[in-house]
Amino acid sequence: MTESTPVPVSSNSLAGRTVLVTGAASGLGLGIARGLLQAGANCILADIDDKGLDSIAPEFKERGLAAKMNVTDEASVQAAFAAGVARFGRLDGLVCAAGVAPAYPLEDTPLDKWRFALDINLTGYFLCGREATRIFKKQGGGGAMVLLSSKSGLEPSKNNSAYNATKAGELHLARGWALELGPAGIRVNCIAPGNVFEGSKIWNPAYIAEAARKKGIKPEEVIPHYIAMTALKRDIKPQDIANAAVFLLSDAARCMTGQVLVVDGGQAYTR
Ligand SMILES: NC(=O)c1ccc[n+]([C@@H]2O[C@H](COP(=O)([O-])OP(=O)(O)OC[C@H]3O[C@@H](n4cnc5c(N)ncnc54)[C@H](O)[C@@H]3O)[C@@H](O)[C@H]2O)c1
């Protein structure tokens, strides 16, 4: 048996459920949406990148709806949720994955980039979590949310203040919501992925160059370097993160709320 290629969790555990995924046009959001589709869910594919959505929506066929959404805009968030509920009849889950990582040394961090990260990574999660909660409660309770945090929310990354702060903030958002929403049967958990390169636009050439600079290595050495930092020496794939999301959204996790699943190949807490 090889363990170097991820396989989907073998179940139909989300059959008939409807989940809205933000950041669905790229990277982890898209990988998670594909995992939810494999698990039987209907997917409301939400992203600000409508061209990206148009290119991926056909693979979801009748179980996908492309809904343009700017997670920082209240009206846009409400409209995308409403379109999804109108299409599929209800909402059972939310995955917040739309996120950005403007990486700078502290003294060089522009204020607008700091605010940009807080707006998308925190306000965006807040607006989507609030809208999902309103819909869940209107339906009579129940529902599950998964917030994509990061290993950087547990252990800070160098030269990445806004990302570190927002990713740690998401963990505590989830814990507070778990406490508040538990009585309504709404579960809220986080995933803290390690570095996932496949399909990610965060890992663009400029970001890789900055990572190379802070590590004192060449850009082409960055990905092998990060893989070597995991205890398992394994390249984490979007499917690995999708598997965690499917589990957390499913009834198999019915007694889990306010928790963090770390999917980092053994990096945080292992050194
Ligand atoms: N890739 C990694 O190594 C990694 C590791 C840990 C956590 N994460 C988290 O996973 C999430 C996704 O990261 P990724 O690497 O897939 O990034 P990505 O850039 O590939 O995808 C992010 C998506 O979010 C969308 N988006 C950006 N601003 C938006 C807005 N205002 N409204 C709606 N959509 C918007 C983008 O259009 C894009 O499709 C982020 O929250 C990130 O913090 C990523």
Side-chain angles (χ1 to χ4, degrees):
M1 187 181 103
T2 171
E3 291 177 342
S4 59
T5 309
V7 292
V9 281
S10 55
S11 78
N12 217 20
S13 57
L14 298 179
R17 308 271 170 97
T18 297
V19 182
L20 186 145
V21 182
T22 73
S26 174
L28 291 185
L30 175 55
I32 289 171
R34 286 175 169 148
L36 303 182
L37 186 75
Q38 286 168 337
N42 304 314
C43 297
I44 306 164
L45 306 159
D47 205 292
I48 199 166
D49 175 6
D50 47 353
K51 286 202 184 75
L53 284 179
D54 287 346
S55 71
I56 57 113
E59 73 182 82
F60 290 79
K61 298 187 179 138
E62 73 287 350
R63 285 202 280 124
L65 176 76
K68 187 176 182 189
M69 175 202 279
N70 177 354
V71 295
T72 69
D73 182 295
E74 197 170 22
S76 169
V77 168
Q78 287 170 348
F81 273 91
V85 171
R87 168 79 169 73
F88 295 113
R90 59 179 286 115
L91 181 76
D92 302 287
L94 166 67
V95 176
C96 288
V100 290
Y104 299 91
L106 175 57
E107 64 272 29
D108 300 333
T109 307
L111 178 59
D112 64 331
K113 296 293 183 191
W114 165 265
R115 288 197 168 127
F116 173 66
L118 265 65
D119 214 18
I120 294 175
N121 297 0
L122 284 176
T123 306
Y125 280 38
F126 152 69
L127 285 175
C128 290
R130 188 182 69 175
E131 195 59 24
T133 298
R134 287 176 175 166
I135 295 169
F136 291 154
K137 287 196 170 176
K138 205 165 144 200
Q139 290 173 167
M145 299 189 222
V146 171
L147 309 189
L148 262 268
S149 173
S150 168
K151 175 180 62 57
S152 304
L154 302 166
E155 286 183 345
S157 300
K158 207 169 156 192
N159 298 357
N160 225 344
S161 304
Y163 193 68
N164 293 334
T166 55
K167 292 291 141 180
E170 290 163 7
L171 299 177
H172 225 50
L173 257 190
R175 295 179 184 119
W177 290 351
L179 186 66
E180 184 179 338
L181 304 177
I186 300 167
R187 298 183 302 102
V188 189
N189 292 289
C190 285
I191 301 174
N195 302 300
V196 187
F197 307 101
E198 187 179 287
S200 169
K201 286 193 277 198
I202 284 183
W203 286 99
N204 57 58
Y207 195 81
I208 289 179
E210 171 58 18
R213 203 186 60 76
K214 74 185 177 193
K215 303 273 177 197
I217 58 178
K218 294 181 189 147
E220 60 272 26
E221 293 168 345
V222 166
I223 292 177
H225 172 84
Y226 278 108
I227 293 172
M229 279 168 70
T230 67
L232 290 166
K233 313 294 175 207
R234 209 165 270 173
D235 188 8
I236 307 159
K237 299 290 186 186
Q239 177 84 66
D240 294 304
I241 312 306
N243 288 346
V246 167
F247 167 66
L248 287 173
L249 290 168
S250 78
D251 295 342
R254 71 179 198 99
C255 287
M256 285 184 68
T257 195
Q259 303 306 309
V260 187
L261 267 189
V262 183
V263 187
D264 70 350
Q267 202 174 338
Y269 305 140
T270 60
R271 283 171 291 159

